[in-house]
Amino acid sequence: MTKKTRTKNAPGWGDATKLVRGGLERTPFGETSEALFLNSGFVYDAPETAEKRFMGEDDGYVYGRYGNPTVSMFEERLALLEGAEACYAVASGMAAVFGALACQLKAGDHIVSSKALFGSCYQVITNILPRFGITHTLVDGADLDAWAAAMRPETKCVFLETPSNPTLDLVDLGAVAEIAKRAGTLVVVDNIFATPILQKPLNFGADVIVYSGTKHIDGQGRVLGGAIVSTRKFKEEMLKPFLRHTGPSISPFNAWVLLKGMETLKLRVEAQSLSALTVAQHLQATKVVSRALYPHLESHPQYALAKKQMSLGGTMVTFEVEGGKEKAFDVLRNLKVIDISNNLGDAKSLMTHPASTTHRNIGPEARAMMGITDGMLRLSVGLEDIKDILDDVKQALAD
Ligand SMILES: *Cc1c(COP(=O)(O)O)cnc(C)c1O
């Protein structure tokens, strides 16, 4: 077998360099771009080689459900960016959320989670895991006493989203990690809204981080994907035995798209975040807008924490219009540039009405508990000229 050449990952690299070069492994053809290995299986030069690979004594690939060279490059690039030992790529963000939880939990275990959650995360914790005898307590993510009070001897894991989808509530990562450490539980962070560019939960004591590659990492509306970032021990002892046999593998093609998406991730997230702040400032000063939520607006109830945890405020802005669902739908209908879409983190600006889409399924009571109102709209700010985004928002909001 011909040897592939791995380019060196330098320890001192900055994020932009890691995003472009991290994990790159070239074939003997010397291709510039990362190669796409679109194969499901692998062949061996001898039966002994196959046996050794299955015994784990030879670290070559055995089967697409277990691993793939393109997928490995994506995993290594993301681990490097995060400053983590390991990463496991999966088919979607929800496969990452479910995998990160289910791999470590069993009947009788208990989870403590912040209550402000993406609709599907809420379903996993409150509907799906309970079917397997895994109980939960939902807490107000900003209430540190509530986090501490919810810990029980059988609590195995803490789950949280910060900022949350769509209310942009924050959780103090350092403080919750400390409470969890005292209780002897792991902290799993859904860092999808913040992205690995703006917030690095490992620096605050988190143990496991989940991503949807579908959002900012692709950022161009093409593929689904997800990833779980962790220690090597967690990957080897928890993730591999669970994920290899349950099969939520990412397609090599999707991993390749995400790998290429990472090259521009920092540029996109920073530019989109700067535009998002401008849009949030405008919305805050608009009469029909009763509330504008953005982590780096001084009016955000957790502004100080947002400044401490996030280098920029993110690409998402949530706001509430007076006049409830009817007015919110009017705003959506009026849009000329921004698309109506529940996706996010895209180069194209996208707006959705969470109560009738992403958070429709969870019902009115759960929405009320999370603070999701009928007049609430969520805007994912894209890469268009800021003037065009602002003009569109302004005309859509005009009475
Ligand atoms: C979109 C999203 C997910 C799920 O990601 P998919 O790739 O759509 O499965 C999980 N958490 C949050 C906060 C999200 O926004």
Side-chain angles (χ1 to χ4, degrees), residues 269-395:
V269 167
E270 288 178 354
Q272 289 170 236
S273 297
L274 293 177
S275 290
L277 174 62
T278 305
V279 174
Q281 284 164 340
H282 170 77
L283 287 169
Q284 183 169 242
T286 302
K287 232 181 103 216
V288 291
V289 174
S290 46
R291 220 155 45 118
L293 298 167
Y294 186 70
H296 277 200
L297 273 186
E298 277 177 48
S299 57
H300 191 285
Q302 295 161 294
Y303 174 70
L305 178 62
K307 281 287 192 181
K308 184 175 119 192
Q309 265 176 202
M310 301 173 69
S311 59
L312 294 169
T315 67
M316 307 295 297
V317 184
T318 297
F319 61 103
E320 201 173 58
V321 287
E322 281 166 16
K325 180 178 174 183
E326 209 173 311
K327 176 65 182 174
F329 272 33
D330 279 345
V331 173
L332 288 168
R333 271 190 292 264
N334 288 345
L335 294 170
K336 292 194 166 73
V337 176
I338 300 167
D339 291 301
I340 304 171
S341 173
N342 48 282
N343 201 358
L344 64 95
D346 202 90
K348 293 179 174 60
S349 292
L350 308 172
M351 198 185 288
T352 196
H353 178 250
S356 60
T357 60
T358 54
H359 291 71
R360 192 197 68 83
N361 240 332
I362 63 172
E365 274 176 30
R367 280 198 295 278
M369 173 196 73
M370 292 183 192
I372 301 167
T373 61
D374 285 349
M376 192 172 266
L377 290 163
R378 190 196 73 188
L379 170 62
S380 171
V381 178
L383 283 173
E384 302 93 343
D385 288 292
I386 181 62
K387 179 179 181 299
D388 296 328
I389 300 172
L390 268 182
D391 284 353
D392 201 31
V393 167
K394 283 180 196 168
Q395 66 82 25

Side-chain angles (χ1 to χ4, degrees), residues 105 108-112 134-137 150 152 154-157:
L105 297 169
D109 288 346
H110 172 250
I111 310 180
V112 180
I134 298 155
T135 58
H136 60 273
T137 304
R152 300 184 197 159
E154 66 272 25
T155 306
K156 285 286 156 58
C157 167

Side-chain angles (χ1 to χ4, degrees), residues 112-143:
V112 180
S113 169
S114 53
K115 65 181 185 184
L117 294 172
F118 174 57
S120 294
C121 297
Y122 182 80
Q123 294 291 358
V124 166
I125 290 171
T126 64
N127 257 328
I128 297 172
L129 292 176
R131 287 203 255 136
F132 299 92
I134 298 155
T135 58
H136 60 273
T137 304
L138 298 180
V139 299
D140 171 354
D143 184 347

